[in-house]
Amino acid sequence: MLNSLKLQDLRKKLSAAIDQRVRIITAGLGIDELRAVMRGDPPTERPNPRYKVHTTSFLFHIRPRYYERGSTIFAHTFRLGFFTTFAFAVETITGLILMIYYTPSPDEAYSSILNLMSNVPFGSMLRDIHRLGAEAMVIFTTLHMLRTFLTGSYKKDRSFTWLTGVILLGVTLLLSFSGYLLPWDQLAFWAVTIGTSMVEAAPVFGTEANLLLRGAPDIGAGGLLRFYLLHVVLVPLIAILVISIHYYKVAREHGISQPARIEEGKASPEQVKNAKQRVDFIPDLLTHEVFLTALGLFILVAAIAFNFYGGAPLEHIANPQQTPLDTKAPWYFWWLQGMLKLGDKTLMGIILPTIMVAVLVGIPYIDRNPHRSLFKRPWAVGLGLLATLAIVVLSYMGLPEYGIPTPAASRIIQDMAPEEGLGPLREVPFEQLQPGVYEVGQEVPNNLCPDLILGSDQPRGCPELTEVFKDYNDRIIRAATVTNLPKNERLPNVQAVMVIEDWQQDLRKVTMRIGWDDVDSAERKSYERHVYIHRDHGGE
Amino acid sequence: MSRVQIEIFLGTLLVLATGALIIVYGLGEEERMARLERQQQGQAIEVGAELYDNNCKGCHGPQGEGVPGLCPPLNDKYLFTDRMKDVGWSGSVEDYIVATVSSGRLTSTRPELYAGQGSPAMPAWSEDYAGPLRQDQIRNIAAFIMNWEPTAPDRRTEGGQLAGPPVGTDITIELPEGDTVNGEALANAKGCVGCHVSTPTGPAWSASEGTPGIADRSALRIEQADYNGTAETAEQYLLESIVLPKAYVVEGYLDNLMPANFGSTLTAQDAADIIAYMLTFK
Ligand code: HEM
C-alpha cells in the first residue's frame, strides 16, 4: 500500500488540495492564477477566472469587471470618489475603536476624551486621524461633486446617481455635525446649540423637531445620547446603504463617464478606440485601489506624526451657563453662519438652504443641455463657478471676526487672552510673566522687566511679555486717541493696566482692566478679566 | 516593469514607511501622554483658580488664608497633614476636599474658631446637593487647593505667640506710633482684608459713592445720632471697632460677623499699625 504511494503523487495531491482551498477562499482563483495576477500576466485559464469572481464572490460582485480606459484617466476623476470612500472607511474603523473609550454622558464624555489622550497609547493619534478623516471626507465629497458637475457626469442615465450623491453630501455633513458634539467641550456645545436652534426656526414643526433632536429644550444628557446614536448608528447605516446604491449604479450600470472630449467627437477615432479599451478590475483597478489606500494611510499618519495637522481641538468642558464670546461653527458650515448674519433664521437657516438642496437635486432636470464639454455649456459652468464663489465669500462672512461688533475693551482683552485656545498672552513663556503692575500709557519701556534674569543663555528681561504688552498698549491708545472710529471701538479717557501676580506655586494671575468714558452717556465704564496661567498649561 | 508591478512596489514601500512612522511615533507615546497629563492638571488648576475666586474667596480669603472667626484657611499646612487624622477621614486630602465642598457642612467642626454662616456653616456646592457647581468643577477647585500644599505655611507654629501683651479692650489707652506698611501686612494676615477690602462682608474701607473712606468715616461715626459707643476720637473709634466690635454695630450688618477676640490676639503695636493703615483710606 505505502509503496504504491509515490512521493510525486503526494505532492500533486497536496498542491491540488491547497489549490482547492485557495479557490474556495478567493471564489475561483487558483494559485497559478493568483501568481499571474500579481505579476500582471494574462489569465491562465479559460473562461477568464478573473471575471467569474465577479459573480461568485459577494465582495467582488459589487465591483465592476472593468472600466473603459478613458474613464480611468486621473485628471478626469482625480479619484475623488475613491478617496471619499477611503475616508469613510477610515472613519468607520477609527470610530469603532474610539467607541471603546467613549461614554456618551455629560458627566463622562469630556473626561473620557481627556483620558483617551493622556492615558491610552496612540489615543491622541486615533482621535486626530478620526478628526482629520472627517474633514477630509467633507473636502473630498465636495470636490467630487464639483468634478462630476464640471465634467457633466450628472446627465441622462447618471441623473439618479447624482441624486444619491446629493443625499450623500447631506449624509456626510450630518455625520460630521453629529460627531462634533461628542467631545462635549465649549466649542462643540455651542456650535451644536446654534445649529439645532436653526431647526427651531423651521415653520410649523420647528419646536417639535428641535425637541426631538435635543431631547429637551436645551442640549443635555438626552441630546448627547441622541447625537451619539445618530453618529454611530443611524447616519452610518444610511451612509452605507446610500453609498452602496450610489456605487452600484457606477460599477454595474453606467460605469464612470468618458471624458467629454472622447464622447463628443473631438478625439480621433484612434483615441476613441483606445479610450474604449477595457481596463480589468483584476489586477489593474484592484492594484491601483490598494496602492491608493496605502498612499492615503501614509498621508494620514504622516500628517499627524509630523504635526502638519494641528491636532483635534479640545476646549474647556461644555458649560451651558456660559456663552463664549466667540462661537464658531466648523469651517464647512461657515457659509451657513455667514448667511445667518444676512437675515433672519427662518429665511437664511431653513428656507434658503432648502432651496439650495432643491436646486442641487434638480440640476440634471433643469440643465437640459445635452452636451458635456465645459465649453458647450457656458451657463451651467458659469453659474456653478459663481455658486462656488458665493460659498467661499459667505464662508468668509461667517467668521466671528466679520460683522459682529464687540465693544473695544472686551475685544482687545479677548484677543490677548481668548476664553478658549491660547492667544498671545498664554504663549509668553511662564518665567517671563514677571509679577508687577504694568500701566498703559503713551510711553512703553523697551523692556518691562529689565532685572529679570532667566539664565545665562537667554536675553535679560522679558522680551515676549514686553511684545505682548506693547500690542495691548497700542491697541488701547489707538482706541483712546483716534476719534473717527465707530463708537463701540472707542475708549475715551482710557485708564488701563495689566497686573501680574504670583498666585500659587507654578500659577500666576493676570488681571487686565480697562476703564473709559462711554461715548454716548459719558458714564465711566470698566471691563476686567482675570486669567490664570499655569506653568504646565501646555500648547507649546 | 508594468504599471501593476510599480504600484505593488510603491504600495509596499508606503506600507513599510507608514509602519515605521507609527513605530517612531509610538516611541514618544509615554512621554507625550505624561506631558498631556501634566497639561490637563495645569489646566484643571487654572479653571479651579477661577472658580475659587468666584465662589469661595469671600469666606476662605482670596489666597486661601481664611478669615479668623469665620472660615478656616485652606492654604494651611495643617489641612494637608494632621487634619485628616483629626476628623477621622481615611481617604486622600483631595477626596476630603471634594466631599466637603460637594455637600457643604451643616455645622462647623470648630465653631469657636470658624463658625461660618451658622447653619449651614458652609453651603453645599454640588449640583447633586442643590448647589451651583458641577462635579467636574469641584474637582478642578480641589486640584487648585491641592496646589497650595507645597507652599502652605504652618500656622500652628508661626505667629501663635504674641510679641507683647495683648492690647485688651480699654480703648482709652495710649497707643504707640503706628506703621502703615506693617499695618497692611497685619490687615492681610489677620483677615481684615478678607472682609473689608476684597469682599463686602464688612463695611468697605475704601471710599465709595457717598461714603467716605474709613479714615474720614470714623470721625463722622462718633457724631452720629445713633452712635452708642464710648470713643471720643477717630482713633479711639477704630480701636473700639476692633476690640469691641459690638459696642457699635454699623447699620445694615450683623453684629456677630466681625470676630470679637482681636483684643486678645493683637498687641498694642499691632493695633496701632492697623489703625495707621486704616487711616490711609480717606
Ligand atoms: C459619501 C459620499 C460619496 C461617495 C463615497 C461617492 C463615491 C463615488 C465613487 C467611488 C464614484 C466612482 C467615480 C469616481 O471615483 O469619481 C462616484 C461617482 C459619481 N458620484 Fe459619487 N460619491 C459620493 C458623493 C457624491 C456626491 C455628493 C455627488 C453629487 C451630488 C456624487 C455624484 C456622483 C456622480 C454623478 C458619479 C458618476 C461620475 C461619472 O460617471 O463620471 N457623488 N461616486
Side-chain angles (χ1 to χ4, degrees):
Chain A
M1 250 306 258
L2 274 176
N3 283 346
S4 66
L5 261 178
K6 294 233 179 70
L7 200 62
Q8 221 156 31
D9 260 10
L10 194 65
R11 197 193 273 157
K12 234 188 222 149
K13 280 221 168 91
L14 199 65
S15 66
I18 294 178
D19 195 63
Q20 200 192 351
R21 293 290 123 192
V22 170
R23 275 171 200 268
I24 289 172
I25 295 169
T26 62
L29 298 187
I31 291 183
D32 292 340
E33 180 59 24
L34 277 182
R35 188 183 300 137
V37 162
M38 297 297 254
R39 293 168 151 190
D41 291 347
T44 53
E45 293 164 35
R46 255 166 213 279
N48 187 342
R50 300 177 192 176
Y51 287 161
K52 196 168 152 241
V53 174
H54 290 280
T55 47
T56 48
S57 148
F58 171 71
L59 289 178
F60 281 96
H61 103 277
I62 52 176
R63 315 306 314 273
R65 283 154 209 249
Y66 62 86
Y67 281 139
E68 290 175 350
R69 171 142 284 138
S71 57
T72 64
I73 295 171
F74 182 78
H76 179 55
T77 64
F78 299 98
R79 310 294 185 259
L80 288 164
F82 171 81
F83 278 120
T84 315
T85 320
F86 169 75
F88 182 69
V90 168
E91 291 308 276
T92 309
I93 294 165
T94 50
L96 279 171
I97 307 177
L98 286 172
M99 280 173 74
I100 299 173
Y101 300 101
Y102 179 79
T103 317
S105 88
D107 292 340
E108 303 277 330
Y110 185 78
S111 56
S112 63
I113 304 280
L114 289 185
N115 182 56
L116 173 77
M117 302 196 16
S118 65
N119 240 332
V120 178
F122 294 103
S124 285
M125 179 182 247
L126 208 59
R127 187 165 173 253
D128 289 352
I129 293 185
H130 196 71
R131 192 78 168 209
L132 182 59
E135 294 184 23
M137 187 169 165
V138 174
I139 297 177
F140 288 138
T141 320
T142 318
L143 291 180
H144 170 63
M145 175 170 88
L146 209 60
R147 125 43 204 156
T148 51
F149 178 77
L150 290 178
T151 59
S153 305
Y154 52 86
K155 304 196 171 194
K156 300 196 198 107
D157 50 354
R158 289 189 174 81
S159 55
F160 182 73
T161 314
W162 173 269
L163 172 70
T164 52
V166 176
I167 298 174
L168 283 176
L169 181 69
V171 165
T172 306
L173 291 178
L174 210 63
L175 270 175
S176 283
F177 183 69
S178 57
Y180 209 72
L181 180 66
L182 304 188
W184 201 250
D185 61 349
Q186 280 286 77
L187 179 73
F189 183 85
W190 289 97
V192 172
T193 299
I194 294 171
T196 45
S197 76
M198 254 162 34
V199 175
E200 193 166 24
V204 190
F205 59 89
T207 323
E208 285 73 16
N210 185 46
L211 204 60
L212 199 66
L213 258 183
R214 291 186 179 179
D218 291 310
I219 299 179
L224 180 56
L225 189 60
R226 278 164 206 222
F227 271 73
Y228 176 69
L229 292 176
L230 277 180
H231 186 70
V232 304
V233 183
L234 186 60
V235 189
L237 277 182
I238 298 178
I240 290 171
L241 182 69
V242 183
I243 290 177
S244 308
I245 296 175
H246 184 74
Y247 183 71
Y248 205 76
K249 276 284 193 196
V250 177
R252 303 292 298 207
E253 191 181 331
H254 48 58
I256 300 177
S257 58
Q258 288 276 5
R261 76 189 124 82
I262 306 275
E263 213 169 65
E264 292 178 3
K266 267 243 179 89
S268 66
E270 191 64 25
Q271 282 172 317
V272 173
K273 194 166 156 243
N274 192 27
K276 295 260 180 204
Q277 267 177 5
R278 293 174 170 193
V279 180
D280 284 347
F281 185 76
I282 300 175
D284 299 68
L285 298 179
L286 184 60
T287 326
H288 189 56
E289 284 182 357
V290 174
F291 166 71
L292 289 182
T293 307
L295 182 69
L297 283 178
F298 176 76
I299 293 176
L300 268 183
V301 171
I304 283 147
F306 295 122
N307 209 14
F308 293 138
Y309 178 65
L314 189 66
E315 299 192 337
H316 287 121
I317 187 169
N319 188 348
Q321 263 92 49
Q322 188 200 347
T323 322
L325 269 180
D326 301 325
T327 51
K328 204 161 158 184
W331 56 261
Y332 40 83
F333 283 123
W334 285 352
W335 58 274
L336 194 55
Q337 218 172 13
M339 278 183 14
L340 286 174
K341 286 184 193 164
L342 295 177
D344 78 299
K345 264 190 195 166
T346 314
L347 180 64
M348 292 296 173
I350 299 289
I351 299 180
L352 266 187
T354 311
I355 294 178
M356 286 162 71
V357 172
V359 169
L360 272 185
V361 169
I363 282 181
Y365 315 103
I366 302 169
D367 177 10
R368 310 292 326 180
N369 181 346
H371 292 294
R372 290 182 48 223
S373 163
L374 282 181
F375 308 102
K376 292 184 188 155
R377 36 199 279 268
W379 278 103
V381 172
L383 288 175
L385 293 182
L386 207 66
T388 315
L389 197 71
I391 292 286
V392 173
V393 172
L394 281 172
S395 295
Y396 168 71
M397 292 171 53
L399 295 177
E401 292 79 22
Y402 180 90
I404 298 182
T406 339
S410 41
R411 184 78 260 157
I412 292 173
I413 292 181
Q414 167 75 358
D415 289 347
M416 295 288 293
E419 286 169 341
E420 300 296 344
L422 287 175
L425 181 67
R426 289 194 188 84
E427 272 165 15
V428 173
F430 186 78
E431 285 80 9
Q432 289 195 19
L433 294 171
Q434 163 95 332
V437 178
Y438 306 103
E439 263 178 75
V440 167
Q442 293 290 355
E443 287 287 317
V444 189
N446 269 331
N447 200 336
L448 282 187
C449 22
D451 301 327
L452 187 67
I453 300 171
L454 295 173
S456 47
D457 54 333
Q458 285 182 17
R460 227 160 203 273
C462 46
E464 276 147 273
L465 177 64
T466 308
E467 208 45 51
V468 166
F469 182 74
K470 271 198 179 133
D471 190 35
Y472 176 64
N473 196 77
D474 291 351
R475 287 187 65 179
I476 293 176
I477 295 295
R478 190 179 118 83
T481 50
V482 181
T483 47
N484 55 3
L485 291 173
K487 270 185 196 164
N488 67 308
E489 286 176 24
R490 291 186 51 203
L491 297 171
N493 273 332
V494 81
Q495 248 186 334
V497 283
M498 178 188 283
V499 184
I500 303 182
E501 291 163 89
D502 220 346
W503 205 245
Q504 252 189 356
Q505 169 157 297
D506 296 332
L507 186 71
R508 301 227 162 115
K509 175 182 183 180
V510 183
T511 305
M512 284 176 282
R513 191 181 304 122
I514 302 180
W516 72 97
D517 288 341
D518 189 67
V519 179
D520 287 327
S521 61
E523 242 174 76
R524 195 72 190 158
K525 296 238 171 132
S526 79
Y527 179 83
E528 77 172 11
R529 182 125 119 228
H530 308 288
V531 183
Y532 296 88
I533 301 182
H534 192 276
R535 186 187 291 278
D536 291 332
H537 71 81
E540 63 281 346
Chain B
M1 270 205 285
S2 72
R3 188 187 165 132
V4 167
Q5 282 166 325
I6 295 177
E7 284 186 335
I8 291 179
F9 175 68
L10 287 180
T12 315
L13 275 190
L14 282 170
V15 169
L16 291 178
T18 311
L21 270 183
I22 291 180
I23 291 173
V24 171
Y25 181 92
L27 291 179
E29 251 331 63
E30 287 292 327
E31 152 51 38
R32 199 189 49 72
M33 287 194 297
R35 198 183 68 237
L36 276 182
E37 189 148 348
R38 282 199 305 278
Q39 276 179 20
Q40 290 171 3
Q41 180 69 12
Q43 285 168 9
I45 292 174
E46 288 175 357
V47 174
E50 185 160 355
L51 288 166
Y52 180 90
D53 206 57
N54 293 338
N55 296 291
C56 323
K57 75 167 174 210
C59 287
H60 292 286
Q63 292 264 28
E65 64 278 19
V67 174
L70 191 63
C71 300
L74 298 176
N75 68 351
D76 191 12
K77 183 130 260 143
Y78 171 62
L79 176 65
F80 301 104
T81 52
D82 296 336
R83 177 69 174 154
M84 298 306 106
K85 209 157 56 231
D86 292 355
V87 292
W89 179 269
S90 52
S92 69
V93 181
E94 190 156 357
D95 288 343
Y96 175 74
I97 297 175
V98 171
T100 309
V101 176
S102 298
S103 56
R105 190 160 282 171
L106 281 181
T107 49
S108 172
T109 55
R110 296 160 289 185
E112 67 299 343
L113 284 175
Y114 310 116
Q117 286 178 328
S119 185
M122 172 165 78
W125 292 98
S126 163
E127 271 179 347
D128 297 347
Y129 307 98
L133 300 178
R134 294 190 313 267
Q135 205 56 31
D136 61 276
Q137 294 178 311
I138 291 176
R139 290 225 154 260
N140 288 339
I141 298 181
F144 171 72
I145 293 176
M146 288 308 290
N147 196 34
W148 266 315
E149 181 170 8
T151 54
D154 194 343
R155 291 195 173 69
R156 284 172 303 177
T157 53
E158 271 172 25
Q161 233 67 41
L162 281 187
V167 55
T169 52
D170 174 10
I171 64 164
T172 58
I173 60 160
E174 187 80 20
L175 287 176
E177 187 74 21
D179 169 22
T180 54
V181 177
N182 195 38
E184 181 173 5
L186 278 168
N188 265 308
K190 298 287 174 185
C192 325
V193 167
C195 288
H196 289 287
V197 179
S198 16
T199 72
T201 314
W205 283 352
S206 44
S208 55
E209 303 144 47
T211 326
I214 185 70
D216 295 343
R217 191 160 76 225
S218 48
L220 298 177
R221 283 277 191 245
I222 48 182
E223 309 287 311
Q224 270 170 225
D226 66 343
Y227 179 66
N228 48 3
T230 57
E232 275 157 10
T233 67
E235 286 81 359
Q236 279 185 5
Y237 172 75
L238 290 177
L239 183 58
E240 179 187 67
S241 300
I242 298 172
V243 299
L244 293 170
K246 290 205 173 104
Y248 166 72
V249 176
V250 179
E251 204 191 317
Y253 292 89
L254 292 177
D255 65 356
N256 59 357
L257 270 181
M258 168 115 180
N261 60 348
F262 285 125
S264 55
T265 59
L266 298 174
T267 64
Q269 183 65 52
D270 291 343
D273 292 350
I274 295 180
I275 290 174
Y277 174 58
M278 280 195 283
L279 286 175
T280 63
F281 290 87
K282 298 281 180 213

